[in-house]
Amino acid sequence: MRNTAVLSSLLVAALALTGCSDNHTTRAADSISVSGTGKVSAQPDIFSVVATARQQGDDIDAMKERVDSQVDRMLELADDLDIEEKQVTASTLRISPQWQYQPERKLIGHEVSRDVTFRVKGLETYARLLDGLAKQHVKDIRPAGSEVSNEHALSQRALKKAVQDARQQAEVAADAADRSVGKAIRIDVQGTSAPHPVMMMARAKDAATESYRAGETDITAQVQVTFELE
């Protein structure tokens, strides 16, 4: 009796597994997986720039004084443009030896320098900053990238568009097979991206708001979606 009961239990379990397998196969056969892409274009509105005060020569104390003075003028310019103090970073002093290698290696002086990094909101303020730095005769000015302030919200919009794009593609394929698309049963978000282009800087003498173009950046999202077929 005990052996008979065990065999009966095993038979029921086997039938149950077979049923699960059939249901899984049917579900897999009645679905479609597609990729979707969403894109939102936006104009950068936050800009970064690095300006370097630099002096070369033999008198380190005198060079340090001139560099510090130029950095002070940069910081005053930032204040005049109402750039927040936390968005301006002045580095510590750097002193580097300058070598001559031909016809023989010998020390010919030193370079003293400091960087000032600005993070500016708005293209107009950015252009006025560059114009002001040029008027201060700062010779080393380097754009350090641009950002979109509401990037998170735009990434969500791009993601929504990606899912909608996936459904549209699934509907086209299903219609060709005389089927219709049901609910999404699996969504894999494959990531979002927002490359930050570096805006080209106009020549110093042409530094005015109209001389700069921020351009646009594309925020994209990729998804893989599986839909039921009806």
Side-chain angles (χ1 to χ4, degrees):
M1 290 294 291
R2 183 174 181 181
N3 289 338
T4 301
V6 171
L7 289 172
S8 298
S9 298
L10 290 173
L11 181 59
V12 170
L15 289 172
L17 288 173
T18 301
C20 290
S21 178
D22 288 343
N23 288 338
H24 178 74
T25 301
T26 301
R27 177 177 289 272
D30 284 343
S31 65
I32 180 173
S33 294
V34 293
S35 297
T37 301
K39 182 175 72 172
V40 176
S41 296
Q43 190 173 66
D45 57 353
I46 299 176
F47 308 94
S48 297
V49 64
V50 180
T52 302
R54 190 189 314 275
Q55 293 288 324
Q56 295 179 338
D58 296 317
D59 190 336
I60 293 179
D61 289 336
M63 289 189 293
K64 176 184 180 302
E65 184 176 343
R66 290 195 293 270
V67 165
D68 287 342
S69 177
Q70 189 168 38
V71 168
D72 288 341
R73 292 196 298 271
M74 292 188 205
L75 299 180
E76 289 174 2
L77 174 62
D79 290 338
D80 292 342
L81 295 176
D82 294 325
I83 301 173
E84 295 182 51
E85 186 175 335
K86 65 181 180 180
Q87 303 297 345
V88 181
T89 304
S91 75
T92 56
L93 194 74
R94 295 191 303 271
I95 302 175
S96 306
Q98 302 293 296
W99 297 94
Q100 173 183 295
Y101 292 94
Q102 296 295 335
E104 60 182 357
R105 184 176 184 268
K106 67 176 182 178
L107 182 67
I108 58 174
H110 288 82
E111 178 181 272
V112 176
S113 63
R114 290 181 66 188
D115 292 333
V116 182
T117 302
F118 305 86
R119 186 171 181 268
V120 180
K121 294 182 179 179
L123 182 60
E124 181 179 353
T125 302
Y126 179 64
R128 291 173 61 196
L129 171 66
L130 297 179
D131 191 43
L133 292 172
K135 288 178 180 178
Q136 291 182 1
H137 305 292
V138 180
K139 297 178 181 179
D140 190 345
I141 305 172
R142 305 182 303 280
S146 57
E147 308 168 41
V148 178
S149 59
N150 58 338
E151 183 178 320
H152 178 68
L154 295 176
S155 295
Q156 291 183 325
R157 283 177 53 191
L159 183 58
K160 185 175 181 179
K161 283 189 173 185
V163 175
Q164 293 170 341
D165 179 55
R167 177 172 284 278
Q168 184 177 16
Q169 293 191 60
E171 288 173 347
V172 171
D175 183 64
D178 198 25
R179 303 290 296 272
S180 60
V181 176
K183 65 180 181 180
I185 57 177
R186 181 182 177 88
I187 301 176
D188 294 318
V189 178
Q190 298 175 332
T192 59
S193 63
H196 298 155
V198 176
M199 186 173 63
M200 296 302 293
M201 186 184 302
R203 291 177 299 171
K205 67 178 182 180
D206 297 326
T209 302
E210 56 270 17
S211 300
Y212 297 86
R213 295 291 184 268
E216 284 190 340
T217 185
D218 292 332
I219 298 173
T220 60
Q222 299 280 343
V223 296
Q224 183 81 20
V225 186
T226 301
F227 297 95
E228 285 185 343
L229 287 176
E230 298 176 347

